Amino acid sequence: MEEVKDILTGLDRYEEFLKKLELEIQKMDSYRIAIIYTDIKYFKYINDTFGYQRGDMLLKEFTRQVTQGNAGMLCAARVFSDNIVMASRVSNDISNEEVRETVNRHNREMEERFRENYSAARLKFCTGISFISKEDRRLDPATAVSNANLARKIAKEMKDDCCVLFDSRMVEGIKKEVEITSSLSKAIAGGELKVYYQPKMKTDSIRIDGAEALVRWQKPDGRFIYPDEFIPMIEQSGQIVELDYFVYREVFKFIAGRMKENKPIVPISVNVSRAHLNKMDILSYVQSLFDEYRIRPDLIEFELTENIYIENTEKALQLIEGLHKMGTKVSMDDFGSGYSSLNLLSRLPIDIIKLDKVFLQDEETDNNLKENDKIIISCIIDMAKKLRITSLCEGVETSEQSDYLSEIGCELQQGYYFSRPIPENDFENFMDRSFAGGSLVIA
Ligand code: C2E
Ligand code: CA
Ligand code: CA
């Protein structure tokens, strides 16, 4: 007979669970069924750090704690690895939110116990919950589980409360994700993606001193999809590497074209996704572009976000060293947006620090700088100066902000006050005007 139990945890196997759930759905009476799907965030870290034996032990204990004391439990299974699903009877007097709160509380208590008993400080339990009521008893059990799993994936991205109720709108989000990830390669080949350029200005002269390449996706119907919408999705699927390489190639081509025509050019910075740290082929790709286009290395810069440095300092260091060897500069992007670690500035050999636009954006004061922000900005700029790191402030939208940055000695500025990111042709005009000494501010 085929084994119906999972050997490690003693729970049902997933196929067996679905069979039982199907029967339970048919039997359902004056209550509903909650599908509670939980997994352990950072479980891989436990396995990698303490070994599989410790991981298995933890998993057994987790199973025991997650299923114990649940009087309404109907069935439970290990779907795979550290993914546990459980079906539980819920009285119709209890709201969905109350169920979520109970599960959330239980998860937090478990985390606390694991922290104390197993020194597993980083461990976090993430749960997604979906419901099957009497009305939707024709719902396929596997769909109910996949709904809870979808909510669990969203829970895993959350910082605090890692417990989320399924909502049918989530399916729309997934559809969109599939649409984006499945059409990206074709969109690149079909010319739907374009590189826009946003000028960077030198504070003392308000002349152009560089630009940042930012990608734009324009659908055939003219609609734009902005990076914030699609980059997180393709970062997860790893396709961001393909997109970044496309952007780098376009930028190299653009610079080489300007040089061939003997036109002035400024250094262009490109963004580096965190996904590159997994593969590190970026260095050989960039080298191949230098070999092909023969442009000066100081005309290309790389922007790595502060988070990349914090998440993986060693790899980030290797990457910076590799890029420096080729003669390019590296900046720390979005500085101050996350868990800024000031000591990173002295540990990493970065050339430019880009202060995040959050410092300048304040709806309450209508973009007038708050006193506290002023103090922080000027301290960071002082510190950068002492460390001989070039300072750049992004998100400059008003003349007051620009004047203040000049006053405190921020070397470079970038923002809508000077120009939005613009298509290549417009950017060429911008550069030509700047080098000819014309007026630049497009208010
Ligand atoms: P980022 O690198 O921090 O880029 C700055 C973002 O701020 C850009 O948004 C830019 O259009 C916007 N911005 C510039 N000046 C102002 C201003 O004065 N006010 C305000 N409110 N916003 C301003 P965008 O182009 O939508 O890009 C968003 C993010 O997507 C970028 O943030 C970057 O992280 C990512 N991204 C864009 N293009 C690429 C790319 O080719 N590769 C990778 N890996 N990421 C990219
Ligand atoms: Ca950037
Ligand atoms: Ca930025």
Side-chain angles (χ1 to χ4, degrees):
M1 204 184 92
E2 206 183 320
E3 187 59 70
V4 294
K5 295 280 181 202
D6 170 53
I7 297 167
L8 181 71
T9 60
L11 296 179
D12 282 333
R13 282 185 182 276
Y14 185 50
E15 297 72 34
E16 182 64 14
F17 170 84
L18 288 179
K19 278 186 212 156
K20 285 189 182 169
L21 181 57
E22 175 103 61
L23 294 175
E24 291 294 346
I25 295 173
Q26 299 318 319
K27 275 199 301 202
M28 196 166 27
D29 190 2
S30 55
Y31 56 86
R32 61 197 193 290
I33 297 175
I35 308 293
I36 303 170
Y37 194 123
T38 305
D39 90 329
I40 312 177
K41 194 170 179 176
Y42 306 124
F43 183 62
K44 190 179 167 314
Y45 165 82
I46 303 276
N47 270 336
D48 292 349
T49 318
F50 303 108
Y52 284 96
Q53 224 175 351
R54 178 73 166 261
D56 283 355
M57 189 181 78
L58 208 125
L59 209 53
K60 272 197 234 177
E61 184 56 20
F62 162 58
T63 311
R64 198 181 64 76
Q65 293 198 19
V66 96
T67 51
Q68 81 174 5
N70 182 337
M73 192 176 94
L74 301 166
C75 43
R78 177 157 82 127
V79 185
F80 65 92
S81 178
D82 57 339
N83 282 225
I84 307 281
V85 67
M86 177 167 69
S88 191
R89 191 185 299 155
V90 175
S91 152
N92 285 335
D93 304 334
I94 302 173
S95 71
N96 290 357
E97 178 54 25
E98 281 170 312
V99 175
R100 192 195 74 82
E101 280 168 14
T102 308
V103 173
N104 195 29
R105 207 175 322 117
H106 186 62
N107 282 356
R108 303 292 83 85
E109 284 164 8
M110 276 200 302
E111 279 162 16
E112 199 54 42
R113 284 198 290 274
F114 274 98
R115 220 164 278 153
E116 279 167 16
N117 303 339
Y118 298 92
S119 328
R122 292 182 67 181
L123 218 72
K124 215 152 175 55
F125 299 105
C126 303
T127 303
I129 306 172
S130 71
F131 291 91
I132 309 169
S133 62
K134 219 172 151 187
E135 293 74 49
D136 44 36
R137 63 168 23 146
R138 259 177 287 161
L139 186 73
D140 167 28
T143 305
V145 175
S146 97
N147 289 347
N149 186 26
L150 189 54
R152 192 247 344 148
K153 283 188 190 153
I154 291 168
K156 212 166 175 179
E157 299 300 314
M158 300 179 84
K159 276 209 175 82
D160 303 315
D161 271 11
C162 303
C163 189
V164 168
L165 296 177
F166 169 74
D167 180 321
S168 56
R169 280 170 298 186
M170 290 172 184
V171 178
E172 286 305 309
I174 292 292
K175 272 195 202 144
K176 189 152 187 210
E177 188 168 339
V178 171
E179 189 191 309
I180 282 179
T181 51
S182 63
S183 60
L184 180 79
S185 299
K186 243 171 76 189
I188 293 181
E192 288 178 31
L193 282 107
K194 294 261 159 44
V195 177
Y196 275 42
Y197 294 88
Q198 187 179 33
K200 295 176 187 169
M201 314 303 286
K202 206 167 172 74
T203 296
D204 54 17
S205 57
I206 303 293
R207 284 277 164 269
I208 188 164
D209 194 65
E212 175 177 7
L214 293 155
V215 75
R216 294 290 177 266
W217 185 345
Q218 191 171 21
K219 295 292 238 182
D221 62 9
R223 193 170 45 98
F224 276 96
I225 316 182
Y226 284 92
D228 283 339
E229 216 178 311
F230 68 89
I231 284 189
M233 293 177 190
I234 62 167
E235 223 161 30
Q236 284 224 325
S237 68
Q239 290 167 297
I240 184 79
V241 171
E242 181 190 350
L243 176 116
D244 276 353
Y245 287 176
F246 161 77
V247 172
Y248 302 171
R249 179 172 287 279
E250 289 294 297
V251 170
F252 271 76
K253 218 190 290 174
F254 173 61
I255 297 175
R258 290 281 297 188
M259 288 171 66
K260 206 168 157 202
E261 290 176 31
N262 271 327
K263 287 185 171 160
I265 182 75
V266 289
I268 311 278
S269 65
V270 293
N271 289 286
V272 178
S273 158
R274 51 160 56 76
H276 292 285
L277 296 193
N278 302 330
K279 289 176 80 190
M280 295 293 261
D281 322 355
I282 180 172
L283 292 173
S284 53
Y285 189 77
V286 171
Q287 185 58 57
S288 73
L289 290 176
F290 274 121
D291 295 342
E292 187 177 340
Y293 290 97
R294 308 236 155 245
I295 65 169
R296 283 199 336 254
D298 62 323
L299 289 175
I300 291 283
E301 292 173 8
F302 290 85
E303 299 192 5
L304 277 80
T305 61
E306 173 189 82
N307 288 338
I308 297 187
Y309 296 98
I310 293 168
E311 284 163 14
N312 205 335
T313 312
E314 285 316 308
K315 281 259 175 76
L317 188 60
Q318 270 177 37
L319 185 54
I320 303 173
E321 282 168 353
L323 292 169
H324 275 168
K325 266 195 200 131
M326 287 184 236
T328 67
K329 285 189 179 153
V330 179
S331 67
M332 184 180 283
D333 198 0
D334 298 349
F335 187 81
S337 65
Y339 302 102
S340 314
S341 170
L342 292 180
N343 70 0
L344 267 189
L345 282 186
S346 61
R347 276 175 57 202
L348 293 170
I350 53 155
D351 308 286
I352 302 147
I353 170 172
K354 280 189 86 169
L355 270 78
D356 193 74
K357 49 186 181 290
V358 287
F359 287 114
L360 299 183
Q361 280 164 359
D362 194 341
E363 278 163 21
E364 275 171 42
T365 58
D366 206 16
N367 279 353
N368 288 321
L369 280 165
K370 271 196 306 207
E371 276 316 306
N372 282 354
D373 284 340
K374 276 188 175 176
I375 295 168
I376 295 174
I377 298 176
S378 88
C379 282
I380 296 175
I381 286 166
D382 273 350
M383 187 174 59
K385 226 176 266 166
K386 287 186 185 123
L387 294 167
R388 293 179 205 288
I389 298 172
T390 303
S391 54
L392 184 155
C393 214
E394 65 175 17
V396 181
E397 293 185 359
T398 64
S399 59
E400 290 76 19
Q401 291 172 342
S402 176
D403 290 346
Y404 178 70
L405 292 170
S406 312
E407 206 180 288
I408 59 171
C410 174
E411 289 158 81
L412 298 169
Q413 303 184 25
Q414 180 185 0
Y416 295 168
Y417 175 58
F418 306 104
S419 167
R420 288 184 176 258
I422 44 180
E424 191 177 292
N425 276 346
D426 295 348
F427 176 58
E428 291 208 65
N429 290 336
F430 190 101
M431 260 193 300
D432 293 342
R433 271 205 317 275
S434 178
F435 284 108
S439 163
L440 283 167
V441 173
I442 310 168

